[in-house]
């Protein structure tokens, strides 16, 4: 396996940020990890970063250690029972291509998650979700490798501690586990989830099946979200914040139109709405900006550096906090952050 030095990551992150990896390699088989482990023995002080599609990352500085691009390929039906089919996918598979492949095989479950950028292996990291469905809803198990010891371990649904845009791999043991493959449990008698605002209207006169719903989700996403191939972005840049019922009552008194969704004991607000209300939609500072169709998506208009995007994000956080008293949390992994 070839190890490159001073490798540009510009084409490997959907923000299109110019950042360099001090060392870089592509991992096509788990066996290739031996080379990474050997390298690590020689450079114990340097960090290692596993990279999927680079669709949920903001590099605000060059990466001083080894970036390993995970390209493990596999798509396989591994089991089948009365109610479910179990499908396994390699971490390096493109997420959307895998979703469409399951639909072509006649399987349902992942259609609402169509067109999410990134790879299968990165998907559990932040429990990707869209239009009323999260990865955890159809997850069965995953194979991960503790790359420091080469211990191979299966993680069940419970082990993964999935939560809203969060998982064991993101919050509890970041950087320890390399996800190698993910197994999904797809229902043979699906219950379609089409009640999300905008989706039900789009599908009103249609006969529902996985392909039709997937096509609708693709069209809706394309109308709202920027295509990273055209304009650099990492999807939603902030999580939708959760506030207490009392905090919400205070916000609602001042801003009666504030959209909100009850969530257990808390209330989920729309980060996009909050940012929009602060006047940020379509705003631009140099080449850093928000998308003109959706204030939650930060974009790189061309030559923005990661630090400029991050600075722009801090200005948004400050103004949302000043107006609503709510602190937004970044959704992508910010690489090189000191705060
Ligand atoms: N809104 C505004 N102004 C805006 C954008 C949104 O007022 O500029 C309002 C909308 O009117 C709506 C509300 O905000 O009432 C919610 O908007 P939307 O339906 O677009 O969903 P979202 O909460 O902004 C979340 C996910 C998206 C996912 C969509 C659809 C997060 C952080 N984002 O966005 O996920 O596609 O729901 O399910 O949860 C991603 O994670 O990268 C991502 C794109």
């Amino acid at each position: 396996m070839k190890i490159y030095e001073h490798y540009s990551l510009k084409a490997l992150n959907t923000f299109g940020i110019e950042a360099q990896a001090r060392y870089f390699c592509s991992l096509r088989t788990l066996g290739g990890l031996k080379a990474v482990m050997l390298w690590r023995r020689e450079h114990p002080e340097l960090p290692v970063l596993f990279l999927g599609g680079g669709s949920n990352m903001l590099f605000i500085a060059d990466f001083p250690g080894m970036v390993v691009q995970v390209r493990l390929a596999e798509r396989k039906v591994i089991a089948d029972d009365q109610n479910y089919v179990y499908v396994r996918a390699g971490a390096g598979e493109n997420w959307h291509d895998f979703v469409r492949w399951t639909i072509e095989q006649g399987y349902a479950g992942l259609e609402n998650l169509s067109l999410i950028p990134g790879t299968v292996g990165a998907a559990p990291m932040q429990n990707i979700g869209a239009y009323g469905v999260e990865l955890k809803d159809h997850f069965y198990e995953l194979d991960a490798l503790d790359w420091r010891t080469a211990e191979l371990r299966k993680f069940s649904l419970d082990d993964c501690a999935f939560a809203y845009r969060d998982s064991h791999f993101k919050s509890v043991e970041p950087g320890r586990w390399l996800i190698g493959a993910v197994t999904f449990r797809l229902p043979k008698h699906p219950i379609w989830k089409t009640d999300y605002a905008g989706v039900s209207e789009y599908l009103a006169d249609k006969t529902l099946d996985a392909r039709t719903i997937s096509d609708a989700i693709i069209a809706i996403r394309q109308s709202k979200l920027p295509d990273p191939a055209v304009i650099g972005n990492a999807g939603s840049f902030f999580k939708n914040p959760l506030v207490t019922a009392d905090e919400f009552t205070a916000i609602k008194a001042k801003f009666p139109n504030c959209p909100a969704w009850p969530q257990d004991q808390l209330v989920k607000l729309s980060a996009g709405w909050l940012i929009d209300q602060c006047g940020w939609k379509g705003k631009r500072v140099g080449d850093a900006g928000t998308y003109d169709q959706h204030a939650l998506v930060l974009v790189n208009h061309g030559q923005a550096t990661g630090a400029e995007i991050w600075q722009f994000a801090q200005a948004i956080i400050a103004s949302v906090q000043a107006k609503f008293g709510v602190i937004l949390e970044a959704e992508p992994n910010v690489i090189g952050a000191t705060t």
Side-chain angles (χ1 to χ4, degrees):
M1 194 175 64
K2 185 163 169 49
I3 293 180
Y4 298 85
E5 294 196 42
H6 304 290
Y7 194 89
S8 171
L9 301 171
K10 189 175 167 72
L12 300 180
N13 72 98
T14 59
F15 254 125
I17 298 293
E18 181 55 88
Q20 281 203 350
R22 178 66 184 84
Y23 299 92
F24 175 86
C25 64
S26 272
L27 188 73
R28 290 169 193 276
T29 65
L30 277 182
L33 262 190
K34 281 198 199 112
V36 179
M37 293 169 93
L38 280 175
W39 171 88
R40 166 90 181 175
R41 231 175 270 165
E42 285 162 26
H43 305 85
E45 75 292 358
L46 294 182
V48 173
L49 174 72
F50 294 104
L51 187 68
S55 60
N56 204 42
M57 298 228 159
L58 177 66
F59 288 99
I60 63 171
D62 287 340
F63 190 74
M66 168 78 85
V67 172
V68 181
Q69 184 190 28
V70 180
R71 303 189 67 176
L72 304 166
E74 182 184 5
R75 290 175 190 175
K76 203 167 164 190
V77 177
I78 55 166
D80 194 23
D81 61 28
Q82 211 181 339
N83 294 318
Y84 298 100
V85 58
Y86 297 78
V87 184
R88 188 180 142 99
E93 295 282 345
N94 172 276
W95 173 260
H96 177 66
D97 291 348
F98 169 65
V99 170
R100 290 300 288 196
W101 177 81
T102 62
I103 293 169
E104 278 159 29
Q105 310 303 305
Y107 308 137
L110 303 180
E111 54 282 349
N112 290 43
L113 303 178
S114 297
L115 211 62
I116 295 183
T119 57
V120 165
M125 285 283 173
Q126 54 145 357
N127 180 29
I128 58 169
Y131 303 101
V133 176
E134 287 184 330
L135 170 124
K136 73 172 172 52
D137 301 333
H138 299 289
F139 176 90
Y140 182 64
E141 66 178 18
L142 62 77
D143 297 347
L145 196 122
D146 182 341
W147 68 271
R148 288 158 213 237
T149 61
E151 175 205 351
L152 197 56
R153 192 185 137 183
K154 283 200 187 295
F155 283 78
S156 68
L157 181 63
D158 282 350
D159 296 337
C160 291
F162 289 127
Y164 169 59
R165 296 296 192 275
D166 200 11
S167 73
H168 179 91
F169 311 100
K170 184 170 177 181
S171 305
V172 184
E173 293 190 297
R176 174 170 175 188
W177 297 97
L178 163 64
I179 296 173
V182 184
T183 302
F184 296 88
R185 193 181 74 155
L186 303 179
K188 288 190 174 171
H189 313 288
I191 298 166
W192 309 119
K193 285 265 183 84
T194 57
D195 49 354
Y196 196 93
V199 178
S200 45
E201 293 85 337
Y202 199 96
L203 288 163
D205 53 356
K206 304 228 168 56
T207 307
L208 298 185
D209 58 35
R211 187 185 304 264
T212 307
I213 297 171
S214 172
D215 289 346
I217 298 291
I218 291 170
I220 293 166
R221 286 187 74 98
Q222 283 174 335
S223 71
K224 277 194 173 191
L225 300 170
D227 177 354
V230 179
I231 179 162
N233 74 90
S236 301
F237 194 85
F238 299 101
K239 292 186 190 180
N240 284 328
L242 290 167
V243 296
T244 63
D246 287 350
E247 285 166 338
F248 178 60
T249 306
I251 294 170
K252 186 87 180 162
K254 278 173 85 179
F255 306 95
N257 298 331
C258 179
W261 296 266
Q263 200 88 17
D264 303 322
Q265 305 299 311
L266 300 170
V267 181
K268 189 184 257 188
L269 305 181
S270 158
W273 187 87
L274 299 172
I275 297 167
D276 199 350
Q277 294 299 305
C278 293
W280 286 101
K281 193 168 180 170
K283 279 275 162 64
R284 178 172 177 168
V285 176
D287 273 355
T290 54
Y291 190 49
D292 55 7
Q293 308 288 317
H294 204 302
L296 188 52
V297 181
L298 299 200
V299 295
N300 173 8
H301 286 286
Q303 303 302 320
T305 64
E308 285 165 349
I309 302 265
W310 190 228
Q311 213 177 355
F312 186 78
Q314 300 309 311
I316 290 177
I317 292 172
S319 74
V320 168
Q321 186 176 8
K323 189 169 176 129
F324 297 99
V326 172
I327 299 177
L328 294 180
E329 194 187 326
E331 198 213 80
N333 296 309
V334 180
I335 310 294
T338 48
T339 53

